[in-house]
Amino acid sequence: MIQTLAKSVSVVLVWNAARLALQLAWVLLLARALGPQGYGTFSGLAGLGLALGGFAALGMGLRLYENVARDHSALARHWVLVRSCLAWSAPLLLALYLALALSMGVDTTVLVVVSIGIAEVVLAPLCAQVAFTYASLGRMGESAAVPVVLSLARVVAAGIYLFIWPAGDLNEYVVLHVVATLLAISWIWRRAHMQLDLPRTSRTAGAVELRSGLGFASIWASGLALTSLDKTAVMYAGGGAVAGEYTAGYRLASVAALPVEALTTTIMPRLFRAGGDRPLSPHHVLLLIAVVLAYGAVAGWLVGLAMALITLLLGDGFAGLVPLAALVAWWVPAYCLRMLLGNMLLGYGRKRVRITVELSGLVMMVALMGWWVPHLGLAGALKALLWAEWWMACLSVVMVAWVSTGHKASSPGV
């Protein structure tokens, strides 16, 4: 079992490394091209879109993941629900995004707002649904490879913008961004249908199925909100320049969590089975927590050292991150631990518990950013992130310990 797990983790790690390397290249290219102001505006609007995009398909993709991981023959039955819910939820979510983004009074054009909305609310969620489908069948390498295609397309778009269209502005880039996203998603979607023989029909979800899916959607959306709405909050409270520096530091530091992300992705089917009738032993739970926390501490230390190179990578406009390296470094172990424990709660069927933990952290983070950023700028944003992340990590430890003592979810599918 250990050899199989190690092999799966290695495959996923390779693909995740490729994805994060591409995302890092995207950040470096885009931040250099747009500067703190333009990059912060783009990140803030994209963060809002990603958070709302978490409700695309109304959770039917994650519901498919859980059920098909336990019974592969159920794939076709669940996939038609994914298609149906995507078809009518995406336009509604896009309309909500446009209403919220335009009401914020961001100093940008309607073209920028609409293009980011189409890319992040309508198109990007299709990538997640395909990744869930591969993973539900135990094809973890292919699941991890799916977002690599999207990341590659966006790097190409950023490269074209920086090297071929250097005189453009954010209006020009967002057009390239949405076109690249469309091309990548079209290829991913068609290939998945061919490889997995997915049905091209759809079926209206029943009331019980919608209730179950919305539970999963809330989890997925709360997780996305934690990693995206913070940029929106910083942009709103401190402006595009502060948001640009904050986002760059966050993106670069999150690379350190790559091995933990690979581990949690690989063991997710096992965690779903643990939520059924094959629970993990307390020894394995403690071992996972200890390993992830130890790794996070070392990785955070290295991230703190690497922050001294930020101006070489992105330019002098991001120099404000250098004296705040310690805040970023202490965030890494909390982020790694919360990522592991959140997926454990999901696998155990404790969706409401995980949502409560994440929403409490999100409320704390946004409130602290609203209070500190206007007075402290970038330091206030990073302090708010650090406090909220450690709050969620500690609370998750308590919740996993409580669940592991024998408190089972009333119904894994709800």
Side-chain angles (χ1 to χ4, degrees):
M1 183 182 68
I2 294 176
Q3 290 178 343
T4 301
L5 178 61
K7 182 178 179 180
S8 297
V9 170
S10 299
V11 172
V12 174
L13 183 60
V14 169
W15 282 113
N16 281 358
R19 175 173 59 86
L20 286 181
L22 289 169
Q23 289 181 344
L24 180 60
W26 183 48
V27 170
L28 295 177
L29 291 171
L30 206 56
R32 271 195 169 275
L34 298 176
Q37 179 71 36
Y39 183 60
T41 299
F42 175 85
S43 299
L45 291 172
L48 177 61
L50 284 169
L52 291 175
F55 286 100
L58 304 180
M60 290 301 166
L62 266 175
R63 186 173 182 271
L64 177 151
Y65 191 169
E66 181 187 59
N67 287 280
V68 176
R70 296 169 178 171
D71 179 11
H72 290 182
S73 65
L75 175 60
R77 185 169 72 251
H78 288 281
W79 180 253
V80 295
L81 292 176
V82 172
R83 289 177 59 95
S84 173
C85 291
L86 274 172
W88 64 268
S89 64
L92 294 178
L93 291 169
L94 178 60
L96 178 58
Y97 162 81
L98 294 176
L100 292 173
L102 294 174
S103 68
M104 292 173 65
V106 182
D107 184 19
T108 191
T109 64
V110 174
L111 174 63
V112 169
V113 175
V114 172
S115 297
I116 292 175
I118 293 173
E120 307 303 334
V121 179
V122 178
L123 297 176
L126 301 180
C127 180
Q129 311 311 312
V130 172
F132 291 149
T133 305
Y134 278 118
S136 70
L137 299 172
R139 299 169 70 159
M140 308 309 297
E142 289 161 294
S143 175
V146 166
V148 174
V149 177
L150 180 58
S151 297
L152 177 60
R154 291 180 168 184
V155 168
V156 171
I160 292 173
Y161 174 78
L162 181 61
F163 297 114
I164 301 178
W165 205 347
D169 56 17
L170 188 53
N171 289 283
E172 279 75 30
Y173 172 72
V174 293
V175 174
L176 293 173
H177 180 75
V178 74
V179 170
T181 302
L182 176 61
L183 293 175
I185 294 300
S186 298
W187 187 86
I188 291 168
W189 192 255
R190 292 183 61 185
R191 183 174 175 81
H193 277 80
M194 293 173 59
Q195 282 191 325
L196 304 179
D197 193 26
L198 298 174
R200 298 179 182 273
T201 57
S202 58
R203 175 177 68 82
T204 303
V208 174
E209 293 166 328
L210 280 175
R211 185 168 66 250
S212 173
L214 284 172
F216 282 110
S218 299
I219 287 179
W220 185 246
S222 66
L224 285 176
L226 280 172
T227 57
S228 54
L229 280 184
D230 55 336
K231 288 80 176 174
T232 308
V234 176
M235 180 188 68
Y236 186 77
V242 175
E245 289 188 274
Y246 171 86
T247 304
Y250 182 99
R251 297 295 187 199
L252 295 176
S254 65
V255 173
L258 170 64
V260 176
E261 184 176 351
L263 173 64
T264 55
T265 299
T266 303
I267 66 173
M268 202 63 227
R270 176 69 181 89
L271 293 175
F272 277 134
R273 292 192 290 272
D277 56 1
R278 297 170 59 186
L280 296 176
S281 68
H283 171 74
H284 286 139
V285 173
L286 289 174
L287 181 62
L288 283 170
I289 291 175
V291 168
V292 167
L293 190 57
Y295 168 80
V298 174
W301 175 68
L302 294 175
V303 165
L305 296 178
M307 280 294 146
L309 303 175
I310 195 75
T311 54
L312 295 177
L313 296 172
L314 302 180
D316 294 338
F318 295 86
L321 284 166
V322 177
L324 303 174
L327 294 176
V328 181
W330 278 106
W331 168 77
V332 174
Y335 177 67
C336 291
L337 186 59
R338 194 257 302 171
M339 188 189 308
L340 170 69
L341 297 174
N343 280 312
M344 292 182 70
L345 290 171
L346 174 60
Y348 287 163
R350 309 303 300 198
K351 295 187 287 293
R352 293 186 182 89
V353 175
R354 173 172 162 172
I355 292 171
T356 300
V357 171
E358 293 181 343
L359 287 181
S360 70
L362 180 61
V363 170
M364 174 186 289
M365 180 169 57
V366 171
L368 290 177
M369 284 179 174
W371 177 257
W372 283 339
V373 170
H375 305 288
L376 301 176
L378 180 60
L382 293 175
K383 284 178 60 178
L385 176 70
L386 183 64
W387 277 67
E389 199 69 69
W390 274 107
W391 159 257
M392 289 184 289
C394 294
L395 187 57
S396 295
V397 170
V398 175
M399 293 296 100
V400 167
W402 177 68
V403 171
S404 298
T405 58
H407 297 82
K408 296 182 178 180
S410 58
S411 174
V414 176

